[in-house]
Amino acid sequence: MCRGGGRMIVARRLEEAGRDAGSVVTVGTFDGVHRAHAEIIREVVTRARMREGRSVVVSFDPHPKQVVGTGAVDLLTTIEERVALISALGADVLLLLEFTYAFSRISPEEFYRTYIVEGTGVDEVIVGYDHMFGRDRAAGIDELVRMGKRFGFSVFAVHPFAVGGETVSSTAIRTALARGEVDRAGELLGRPYSLGATVVAGDGRGRTLGFPTANLRPEADLKIVPAEGVYAVAVALGNDERLGMMNIGRRPTVAAGEPRTMEVHLFDFDRDIYGERLVVSFLRRLRDEKKFDSLSDLVRQLARDKEEVLRTAPMQKRIL
């Protein structure tokens, strides 16, 4: 059984996770694996190592709101990103439970008895200060403490984690992205917000303006796309990373009335990458998208945008 320092086990069934009565466990969706989530998971890892137990993160796929929510789900991370981020924090085991409507109806006690006490095994449970769980999220920390006394595990609640006076939460990050405040989202996440995308064919107009762009199709339909505007970005294409600038919008100067597009201009780059995958990390929002009176006015603004990215983006990356 993995205990500290080994490769994280990713289990989708209880039997794959194994059982260890010395486990330190946390339970949550952890969409974003933001700075508050990281505090919880680091606490789990630290306490598990102190008692020579194993650290276990229990999460859900798909996101519970996709099953029992009332509207569209705006995800901060794909399941692949969530797995990678949790692994990087040093967890021994990640148990991904399939979230179905039937699963959502089980009682809090049944969940803990079946999946934690008799399932993974548990010595201590670590949760966030606002942890809610079970059918209709009806149970909180007080109920968890009562169950701990009944089943023989201790409970530790991690205090709120704040950045700049704001408590870090997935909701706060979603709000920042919806406003285009990607630098603030990055501060709350602890890293720049990123999107994986595939390069698709465009109309080639950017090349005629001296700013060739790659048109992008996000690879995950449910991941949040930041608000329309022009952004400073860092783009990873395999092992190559370049600074660039991205436009999210409807290109009113050259293509008024068209659907929203995402296109990125990479600095010092001139290679055919149609069909390739890249990852865009958003550093800061430069400005609103706007309609210019002429293409020459647009080109002059793009030159100013590039100058600003080159001047500010390297420092922005260090801050995040």
Side-chain angles (χ1 to χ4, degrees), residues 305-319:
D305 293 337
K306 180 176 181 178
E307 183 179 342
E308 183 174 354
V309 174
L310 291 172
R311 180 174 55 84
T312 62
M315 178 60 71
Q316 184 76 19
K317 289 179 68 178
R318 286 198 294 272
I319 291 171

Side-chain angles (χ1 to χ4, degrees), residues 22-214:
S23 298
V24 179
V25 180
T26 188
V27 179
T29 304
F30 301 112
D31 181 31
V33 195
H34 52 59
R35 294 177 72 173
H37 291 152
E39 284 292 299
I40 294 169
I41 295 169
R42 288 193 190 101
E43 191 72 30
V44 171
V45 171
T46 298
R47 287 173 175 258
R49 290 176 180 173
M50 287 174 58
R51 65 190 68 196
E52 298 184 348
R54 65 172 190 165
S55 52
V56 179
V57 177
V58 179
S59 191
F60 311 104
D61 183 37
H63 193 293
K65 288 183 179 179
Q66 291 177 245
V67 178
V68 296
T70 57
V73 180
D74 294 322
L75 296 180
L76 298 172
T77 45
T78 64
I79 190 62
E80 294 80 11
E81 290 168 338
R82 205 188 325 163
V83 169
L85 289 164
I86 292 172
S87 177
L89 290 168
D92 293 322
V93 179
L94 171 60
L95 173 59
L96 285 170
L97 296 174
E98 182 182 9
F99 197 93
T100 64
Y101 182 76
F103 181 85
S104 77
R105 307 318 294 163
I106 66 176
S107 70
E109 182 169 332
E110 182 182 356
F111 170 77
Y112 263 87
R113 183 179 62 250
T114 301
Y115 292 94
I116 308 302
V117 178
E118 298 174 358
T120 63
V122 60
D123 186 47
E124 185 172 34
V125 172
I126 312 292
V127 293
Y129 72 100
D130 58 351
H131 181 65
M132 303 294 292
F133 63 99
R135 184 168 56 218
D136 300 323
R137 292 173 54 84
I141 291 175
D142 290 344
E143 176 61 22
L144 186 57
V145 170
R146 284 193 289 270
M147 283 194 293
K149 292 177 180 177
R150 190 178 314 142
F151 292 124
F153 62 81
S154 59
V155 176
F156 179 80
V158 176
H159 294 300
F161 188 91
V163 175
E166 180 179 19
T167 299
V168 175
S169 69
S170 297
T171 298
I173 296 166
R174 293 187 185 101
T175 299
L177 292 171
R179 293 173 177 167
E181 298 169 357
V182 296
D183 48 350
R184 181 56 177 166
E187 290 173 346
L188 299 176
L189 282 166
R191 64 186 186 278
Y193 180 70
S194 64
L195 277 175
T198 302
V199 179
V200 297
D203 59 16
R205 189 181 296 270
R207 186 171 296 277
T208 66
L209 300 176
F211 288 88
T213 59

